[in-house]
Amino acid sequence: MAVVQNIVITVQLVSPTGSTVATLNPTELSWTQDESGSPMFTGRTTVAMPTAAQFAMLRPGAGYFLRVGGWLAEQDTQTYLFKITDRTRTPLGLVELQFGGPEIDLQAYTPTAVDRGPWAQQWAVDAIIAYVLDAVWGTRWGKYSYGDKTFGESDPSVIVPFPTYAPATNLIANGGFESGTTTGWTAMACTASAVSGSWTSSGAYAIRLFPNSNSANSYVYTTVNVEPNTTYTVSATIRVGQPMTGTVADTARRILITGSVNGQGYELARSAQGPSSTNGTQRLSRTFTTPAMLDSNQVAIRLYHGQTSTGFVGILWDDVLMVEGDGLDTDSVTPIPYFDGDTVDGTAGYNYDWQGSAKASTATRTPIIDRSPDMLTWSPGQSAWDFLQPILQSVGLHLWCDSYDIDFRPGSVSTRVFWATNQFGFKSTARRTLQGFNLLDISQVDSWSAEFSDGTPMYADQVILHYTWNDSLNQPREAYDVYPATGKKPYFMELEDTPFAGKGRAQGIYNRISSRATMLQGITWFERGTFPGQQIAVTADAIGGSAVGYVEATTHDPFRGTTEFRTKQTIAYTSKSWFAATGTWASQTGTWADEA
């Protein structure tokens, strides 16, 4: 630990279990907090050559950490724990070290197999983030703050869903019986009719079955064209008026799928059995795979009654759906709900159309928003950071962490707090006022061609993102996200192997660029509390008076005793402006004319 100009400085070597191995002797130290960078916290230090064993521990990848800090002697102690990223032995026998925050681990980690676990988390962006943090750190990632809430708190105001969408075709013609007929369905050993005025799963009609013989093999069926060796899922809702008695077949109250191979009929699959109770209602479903040599490439979908005419009861079926695949929606949890061409456009984010005659043909659902589940498919070779970035940027969020931590889980190094914040920073802090004695240097920058550290330009009037990727069927796809619609100096990003996240990311990048349009760069006396997101007010002749903005980046150098800063969203204000006034609105005097 050293003291320079009344500033206490410390650099310590910390083991993977969180214990202090050695206190190093620094000759230089600085750390940067840059909202546009990743990791958001980075830094460098130069230390005297330690022992050979300690020098080995300073090798990146050895698992050791640096605890660094600088604070005024009268301030409370505050240190940060960072991972070592670079080590250089200098000709003078010193050791130069570079370090960064926990985002480093997100940039390094990649799954070893295709991971569709995030599909089930699309109910909230914070759930997707937590899933990824779990994958990277397990139980060692401390806590995660979303807005003003810690992850896990129930607060709908901070839940931002990230739904994905996939087209689908209902292969059943007249599956809702809304034509008022049983067109397309054939009755066997029963009487079938489309009825209204009693029970329906949706709409006005359902199909009712009454057995009409002593055979319990009573059902209705429809044929469906299919592809060989392909998986499908059929579902329907059954309603039983009262418990069944008498002779009841094993097939009663089930969905059966049948087909023929070389002229021989086979039962391909059957659903679970529906209820036998008063007004028993249940949605039944069965997934099956068609044979490779299926005759005519057709299957029959049977809806069973399964009772003889002696002591019979009526059974109702409704909302028959058959789709390709496992029948689950894009979250891999929720069954695809029934739809047909009459489903109201906009429902669940889709438009719906009949493929032929209304109420008597197959139907499709088409996503209104082009955001495929591929967006939430985490592939080997794709880092956790690269996986999250398009998702976060499309909803206007930035993920960062200030430090590793040894207090959250003693005996190991974890992360301190992850923050998902918008472009104005992580929290409201007291405004910092800089002028005169505490402002060492200041300049105002406006540039047509300059770039920031994250590669984005200081000026652009349009953002164009071009996505290219292969979907789950390995078909090449592309999409564009453009905001605004026209521009004369666009910023173009080519995003290869990146599934489309839906509209929003281009606007988010555009808003970030726009917020930086006028930038102040300055130096003040060392003040560790100056932090990205903090509001800052500057008065200096070099900028033509006074301006207010938000801190975007800082570099703290305790050896020099300075803090460098860069602002965004900077606007000028006059000494008579309401911003410069103190007190409350009611306490102000004068008229608007006085402000001229």
Side-chain angles (χ1 to χ4, degrees), residues 39-41 82 101-103 137 141 143 399-404 414-419:
M40 183 172 175
F41 280 54
F82 294 119
E103 295 99 312
W137 284 289
W141 58 275
K143 57 183 178 179
L399 183 69
W400 57 275
C401 185
D402 58 352
S403 175
Y404 290 91
S414 62
T415 67
R416 184 176 290 175
V417 177
F418 265 95
W419 303 88

Side-chain angles (χ1 to χ4, degrees), residues 147-225:
D148 294 328
K149 301 295 178 183
T150 299
F151 176 76
E153 294 185 6
S154 179
D155 185 348
S157 67
V158 299
I159 293 178
V160 178
F162 193 81
T164 62
Y165 306 92
T169 299
N170 183 359
L171 299 171
I172 301 293
N174 195 20
F177 310 103
E178 293 305 303
S179 63
T181 71
T182 59
T183 300
W185 294 88
T186 301
M188 302 296 293
C190 68
T191 299
S193 58
V195 295
S196 63
S198 56
W199 170 89
T200 63
S201 177
S202 69
Y205 288 88
I207 189 170
R208 182 164 59 193
L209 280 58
F210 278 113
N212 57 13
S213 73
N214 291 326
S215 171
N217 192 33
S218 50
Y219 60 90
V220 293
Y221 75 91
T222 188
T223 57
V224 181
N225 294 324

Side-chain angles (χ1 to χ4, degrees), residues 361-513:
S361 63
T362 61
T364 60
R365 70 174 195 183
T366 304
I368 297 173
I369 299 174
D370 188 4
R371 183 189 287 158
S372 164
D374 296 329
M375 187 66 224
L376 294 180
T377 301
W378 192 3
S379 303
Q382 184 182 31
S383 73
W385 186 257
D386 289 340
F387 171 73
L388 283 174
Q389 278 299 92
I391 299 169
L392 295 172
Q393 290 184 349
S394 70
V395 295
L397 292 175
H398 177 59
L399 183 69
W400 57 275
C401 185
D402 58 352
S403 175
Y404 290 91
D405 186 72
I406 60 174
D407 295 325
F408 176 70
R409 294 192 182 277
S412 66
V413 173
S414 62
T415 67
R416 184 176 290 175
V417 177
F418 265 95
W419 303 88
T421 57
N422 62 24
Q423 62 178 327
F424 292 103
F426 78 112
K427 62 181 180 180
S428 298
T429 57
R431 187 175 81 230
R432 184 94 191 277
T433 301
L434 301 176
Q435 58 185 359
F437 71 94
N438 63 353
L439 185 62
L440 304 179
D441 187 35
I442 188 68
S443 61
Q444 179 176 318
V445 180
D446 297 275
S447 176
W448 173 268
S449 59
E451 293 184 349
F452 289 96
S453 58
D454 62 354
T456 55
M458 278 195 68
Y459 175 80
D461 59 2
Q462 185 184 38
V463 174
I464 302 173
L465 307 181
H466 180 218
Y467 294 81
T468 56
W469 76 100
N470 286 345
D471 63 19
S472 56
L473 300 177
N474 204 32
Q475 297 299 308
R477 297 187 61 187
E478 69 170 352
Y480 286 88
D481 186 6
V482 179
Y483 188 88
T486 60
K488 296 182 178 180
K489 188 178 184 296
Y491 170 52
F492 181 83
M493 287 182 66
E494 186 71 55
L495 299 168
E496 298 179 354
D497 299 321
T498 305
F500 186 43
K503 300 291 186 181
R505 187 179 184 185
Q507 183 176 358
I509 295 174
Y510 174 82
N511 290 342
R512 181 172 289 273
I513 292 173

Side-chain angles (χ1 to χ4, degrees), residues 541-563:
D541 291 339
I543 62 171
S546 300
V548 62
Y550 291 89
V551 176
E552 183 176 54
T554 59
T555 297
H556 304 285
D557 189 331
F559 275 92
R560 293 175 57 198
T562 60
T563 293

